[in-house]
Amino acid sequence: MKISVNRNTIWCDLFVNRLIEYGVKYACISPGSRSTPLTLAFSQNKSIKLFQIVDERSSAFFALGLAKKSKSPVAIVTTSGTAVAELYPAIIEAFYQRIPLIVCTADRPHYLRNTGANQTINQDNIFRNHIRYFADVGLPDVNLKSLSSLIKKTDTALNIALIENVGPIHLNFQFEKPFEPDTYTEKIDVNYINKIYSLFNKIDFKERKETTSIDKVLKKLTHFEKGLIIVGYNNYDNQFSNLCARLSSKLKYPVFADASSGLRCCNHSQKNVIENFTSLIRSKNYKKEFDPEIIIQFGGTPTSNIVQNFFKESKAEKIIVNEFGDKNDPSLTARTILKIKPEEFCQLILEKINLQKLTRRQDWFEKNIKLNEIAETIKRREFQKEEINFEGKIIYELYNLLPSKSNLMISNSLPIRDADFFVSCTNKQINIFSNRGASGIDGINSTALGIAKLSKEPTVLVTGDLAFYHDMNGLHNAIKFNIPLTIVLINNNGGGIFESLPISRYGKTYIQNFVTPLDIDFSKFVEAYGGKHYLISNFNEFKMKLDESLKSRKLSVLEIRTNAKESKLIREKIWRSITSAIDLYLNENKSRSN
C-alpha cells in the first residue's frame, strides 16, 4: 500500500532519530519558515527537550550552558540568512572550549544562491574557522542512496563532535517547499518506509585510541625537585582534583589553581594550592628564588597576564597536558605537549614514578605554602578594611557565602580576574563555569541560564555592567522557562578593566572611547523580564539579599555600584602589602641561612 508523504518530513525525522541515538537530549530552536521541517521533526519527538528562543544569539549561548552542565551534545536549529550568522559567537566559544554543539541550519536550495532570493546568503561552511566538521547534506530525497548519504554525514559529524575532535559541528539543510507534513511531495509504499528506519537503527561509535608515551616525562619529574603545577580553566571533576592533589603531594610540587579551574573549591586539593600565586609573583625576590625547574600545565591558558608572563619568562621545562593536545601556550615556550586526559596522566605518573629514585627538596614545597599563607593573612586583613563596593571583595565574599554544590558562572573581563587575584580556597564544593574559550562578554546571561535550567542546586552569575547589557535579551529565557538565577551585577558604569591598562592615561579620549559609560537604570529592565532588582549598599545587605534571592528560586539581580579607579588603587595597595611582607620574609630567611 502506498501512502502520501513529504520528503522533507521523512528526511528530518530520520535525522533527529539519529541524533537521539548519539545521546542528544536537548535542542534550542529559533523560529523561521525555512527551518519548518527541522522544527517539526524535533518538536514531534518526545525524546528531546526543546527550548524555543527567539533571539538566535541567545539561543546558541543558552545551548552552550546546557551542554556545559549536562556534559552532553546540544542541538541548535535556525532558519536561513542572517539568523545563521547570529550563532557565530557561541560557536567560537564552543570551539575553543571543545563543547559539542550540533548546529543545524536551514537553507534555500543551492540553485538560489547569488540570485537575489530573499533571506539567502552563502551558508556554505560559513563557520569554517571555528567548526570541527561541516557538511551540506543536500536537498532531501527518499531514495536509499540519498538517505544513506544523510546518515553517513550525520554519523561522521557526531563521531567527530563527541569523540574524534570534540567541539561544534555544522550541518546545513537545503529545503524546497512545501514544508508541512500534510502537503505531500510523493507517494511511497509503507513497507519501504519501514525498511528505511530498520536500515538505519544502529550506530557505529568510533573509539579514539591513542597511546601517549610519558617515559621521558617520568625521568624529568624524577630528576627535577623544584616544580610547579598550573591548572587552567576547564570543567574539572572530583576525580581529577583528587588525583592532582595526590600528584602534588607525591612530587612536592605546589599547585596554582586558576580561579576558572574550580580547584579552589574542592577539599581534595586545598592543602596543596597556592591560591595567592598572582600576588606572590609580583615580588622580584620571589620570582628569582622560586623559578621552578619544571612546570606542568593542565587545561587552558591561565587567566591572568601576570601568570602568563611568569610562564613565559621562566627558565623551567614546560609540559602542556590536555586531552586533545591543544597548544594552550601563547608564550610559545613549551616544548612538550601531551595529548592525554589530565586524570589519566596523573594516574600513570602516580603508578610509574620510581620512589627510590625520587629525591625531593621538602623546603621548596613548604616555603611556597608558607609564603601563600603570609599572602592570605594580609589579604584577609586588608579585605576587612574595605566595603562591599570594592570589586575584589564582592567575589571574595561571594565564594564564602555560597551554599555548597552551588553553580557559579563568572563573567569575563574584571570578574574572572578578580576571582583569580583574590578568591581563597573554601571547604565547599562549588561548581565553577566560565566562557574562557574566547573570553568574550557576549552571551554571558544566556549561558548562565542554560546552566541553571539543568541544575537543582542554586546558580549564581557574577558579571559586569557591560556584559550584562550585551545580553539583556537572554533574560527572557528566565521568564519563558521559569529558571531561577541570581545575578550579582558589578556596575562600574563602563569598561572598568581599562583602568588597569596604559590607555587610561589618555584622559578624554580614554573616557569617550574605552570607558563608554552606559548610565542605565538596570532595575527597569530586570523588572520588565519579571525579575527582582536590589541595589546593594553594604555587606550585611548583600548577605541578606543573596540568601533571600537564592531561596526565592526566581530571577534576582543584586546590583553593586563601584568605582573602577578606586578599586584599582585598592588592588595595588593590597599587592604592595603582600610584596613587602614576602620580601621581608625572604630576606630574613636569607640572613639566617648566612
Side-chain angles (χ1 to χ4, degrees):
M1 181 182 73
K2 289 192 174 183
I3 59 172
S4 297
V5 298
N6 183 303
R7 67 182 64 176
N8 294 323
T9 300
I10 291 178
W11 188 261
C12 292
D13 186 57
L14 194 63
F15 169 70
V16 171
N17 275 285
R18 202 64 174 175
L19 294 189
I20 292 167
E21 294 292 328
Y22 279 92
V24 176
K25 296 178 287 187
Y26 307 103
C28 294
I29 294 180
S30 295
S33 175
R34 189 62 51 169
S35 54
T36 296
L38 280 169
T39 298
L40 289 175
F42 275 100
S43 64
Q44 291 171 3
N45 198 306
K46 303 303 180 185
S47 297
I48 294 185
K49 170 69 176 174
L50 294 191
F51 298 93
Q52 301 85 5
I53 300 173
V54 174
D55 182 342
E56 287 87 1
R57 187 181 76 159
S58 176
S59 177
F61 276 108
F62 189 87
L64 185 73
L66 294 174
K68 281 170 173 280
K69 185 60 182 175
S70 67
K71 296 187 177 180
S72 66
V74 176
I76 304 169
V77 175
T78 72
T79 192
S80 61
T82 57
V84 176
E86 295 290 341
L87 306 179
Y88 209 170
I91 288 171
I92 292 171
E93 184 63 32
F95 178 82
Y96 287 112
Q97 285 205 56
R98 290 191 172 272
I99 304 291
L101 298 182
I102 314 304
V103 180
C104 311
T105 58
D107 198 358
R108 260 56 173 180
H110 62 87
Y111 54 78
L112 290 180
R113 292 172 186 165
N114 302 314
T115 65
N118 185 46
Q119 206 171 332
T120 303
I121 66 172
N122 185 0
Q123 296 175 202
D124 183 46
N125 207 4
I126 189 172
F127 311 120
R128 62 176 55 85
N129 290 329
H130 299 95
I131 210 79
R132 301 292 174 188
Y133 174 82
F134 167 78
D136 193 319
V137 298
L139 284 165
D141 204 324
V142 292
N143 65 64
L144 279 179
K145 182 178 179 182
S146 295
L147 292 171
S148 295
S149 175
L150 169 66
I151 295 302
K152 183 178 179 181
K153 288 175 180 177
T154 304
D155 287 352
T156 299
L158 270 293
N159 271 291
I160 288 172
L162 301 177
I163 300 170
E164 295 176 22
N165 193 12
V166 175
I169 56 95
H170 176 203
L171 297 171
N172 193 54
F173 289 80
Q174 299 176 37
F175 294 117
E176 292 178 309
K177 293 181 178 180
F179 303 140
E180 293 73 20
D182 59 355
T183 51
Y184 309 121
T185 59
E186 51 225 295
K187 289 187 175 182
I188 298 180
D189 192 289
V190 68
N191 292 325
Y192 178 71
I193 294 178
N194 293 333
K195 180 182 178 181
I196 290 170
Y197 282 90
S198 65
L199 283 174
F200 305 125
N201 62 357
K202 293 181 180 179
I203 63 172
D204 180 24
F205 263 119
K206 298 177 182 179
E207 293 185 12
R208 188 172 65 230
K209 296 180 180 179
E210 296 164 353
T211 55
T212 301
S213 174
I214 60 170
D215 292 339
K216 291 182 179 179
V217 175
L218 273 168
K219 291 179 181 178
K220 292 173 183 176
L221 295 177
T222 303
H223 174 70
F224 292 130
E225 297 184 50
K226 299 189 292 184
L228 174 68
I229 298 172
I230 294 177
V231 184
Y233 76 83
N234 206 330
N235 196 0
Y236 296 106
D237 56 18
N238 284 331
Q239 181 190 12
F240 171 73
S241 61
N242 182 29
L243 287 168
C244 184
R246 287 174 55 199
L247 184 67
S248 169
S249 297
K250 181 69 67 71
L251 297 175
K252 298 302 177 187
Y253 294 173
V255 178
F256 166 63
D258 192 281
S260 62
S261 73
L263 261 68
R264 299 190 200 179
C265 315
C266 183
N267 290 328
H268 297 308
S269 57
Q270 282 187 36
K271 66 179 181 180
N272 306 78
V273 170
I274 45 175
E275 68 262 56
N276 296 295
F277 188 63
T278 57
S279 295
L280 298 180
I281 56 179
R282 293 173 196 277
S283 163
K284 292 180 181 179
N285 290 329
Y286 175 87
K287 287 196 292 184
K288 183 178 180 181
E289 185 166 339
F290 291 94
D291 187 19
E293 297 169 307
I294 188 168
I295 298 174
I296 305 170
Q297 178 186 306
F298 295 110
T301 304
T303 296
S304 301
N305 285 335
I306 192 168
V307 178
Q308 293 183 39
N309 289 335
F310 174 86
F311 187 94
K312 180 179 181 178
E313 294 166 4
S314 174
K315 297 176 183 177
E317 178 88 14
K318 296 154 189 172
I319 300 171
I320 306 291
V321 180
N322 62 73
E323 182 177 356
F324 304 101
D326 291 334
K327 298 176 182 179
N328 297 324
D329 172 29
S331 76
L332 305 178
T333 60
R335 290 188 293 175
T336 303
I337 299 174
L338 293 183
K339 189 177 182 180
I340 184 173
K341 289 182 178 180
E343 55 270 23
E344 290 180 9
F345 173 86
C346 293
Q347 190 68 56
L348 282 171
I349 297 297
L350 287 167
E351 289 173 359
K352 294 187 175 185
I353 200 80
N354 191 326
L355 291 176
Q356 284 72 34
K357 293 183 179 180
L358 193 64
T359 59
R360 299 289 93 168
R361 279 186 53 185
Q362 185 73 15
D363 63 325
W364 166 262
F365 181 81
E366 290 178 350
K367 280 185 179 179
N368 269 287
I369 298 301
K370 176 62 179 176
L371 290 168
N372 181 66
E373 291 172 353
I374 291 172
E376 182 68 17
T377 300
I378 294 169
K379 180 180 71 180
R380 294 191 180 194
R381 183 191 70 205
E382 293 294 327
F383 270 43
Q384 287 177 356
K385 302 175 186 177
E386 303 301 334
E387 300 296 331
I388 196 65
N389 59 354
F390 165 45
E391 293 161 353
K393 182 166 182 171
I394 295 170
I395 196 160
Y396 169 83
E397 295 293 357
L398 181 61
Y399 266 68
N400 296 327
L401 294 172
L402 284 177
S404 185
K405 298 183 180 179
S406 297
N407 305 309
L408 177 61
M409 172 78 181
I410 309 175
S411 178
N412 288 315
S413 200
L414 268 178
I416 190 65
R417 285 172 173 80
D418 273 335
D420 205 42
F421 294 150
F422 299 124
V423 161
S424 302
C425 288
T426 72
N427 57 3
K428 297 176 293 188
Q429 179 68 49
I430 299 174
N431 304 309
I432 303 297
F433 297 90
S434 62
N435 283 351
R436 293 304 294 169
S439 302
I441 61 170
D442 45 355
I444 297 293
N445 299 342
S446 297
T447 304
L449 284 160
I451 292 165
K453 181 59 184 175
L454 297 186
S455 180
K456 295 179 181 179
E457 303 298 336
T459 300
V460 175
L461 164 64
V462 57
T463 187
D465 53 304
L466 292 187
F468 184 77
Y469 168 76
H470 262 279
D471 193 25
M472 285 197 293
N473 279 1
L475 298 178
H476 182 258
N477 298 318
I479 301 177
K480 184 163 187 178
F481 305 116
N482 191 29
I483 304 174
L485 177 68
T486 296
I487 300 177
V488 177
L489 173 57
I490 302 173
N491 185 358
N492 56 29
N493 201 25
I497 192 170
F498 294 108
E499 277 290 342
S500 60
L501 300 180
I503 192 63
S504 62
R505 301 193 302 265
Y506 287 76
K508 187 176 179 180
T509 299
Y510 163 65
I511 294 171
Q512 290 180 342
N513 298 284
F514 292 88
V515 178
T516 55
L518 297 173
D519 297 317
I520 287 177
D521 181 356
F522 285 113
S523 66
K524 305 298 183 184
F525 293 96
V526 174
E527 290 165 5
Y529 288 111
K532 291 285 187 182
H533 177 273
Y534 305 99
L535 189 60
I536 305 299
S537 58
N538 58 64
F539 174 72
N540 288 334
E541 192 176 14
F542 178 58
K543 183 178 179 181
M544 181 180 68
K545 292 300 182 184
L546 178 66
D547 183 62
E548 184 180 315
S549 64
L550 293 176
K551 290 176 180 177
S552 74
R553 304 292 290 169
K554 294 180 179 179
L555 173 65
S556 301
V557 176
L558 282 60
E559 180 180 350
I560 305 171
R561 293 178 182 168
T562 67
N563 183 298
K565 187 168 289 187
E566 290 177 2
S567 288
K568 174 191 173 183
L569 295 174
I570 295 170
R571 288 186 195 95
E572 291 175 345
K573 181 182 71 172
I574 293 170
W575 289 328
R576 283 196 302 270
S577 298
I578 291 174
T579 300
S580 296
I582 297 304
D583 289 344
L584 179 63
Y585 177 85
L586 292 176
N587 289 332
E588 287 177 348
N589 271 265
K590 190 178 293 184
S591 298
R592 283 196 292 268
S593 63
N594 291 335

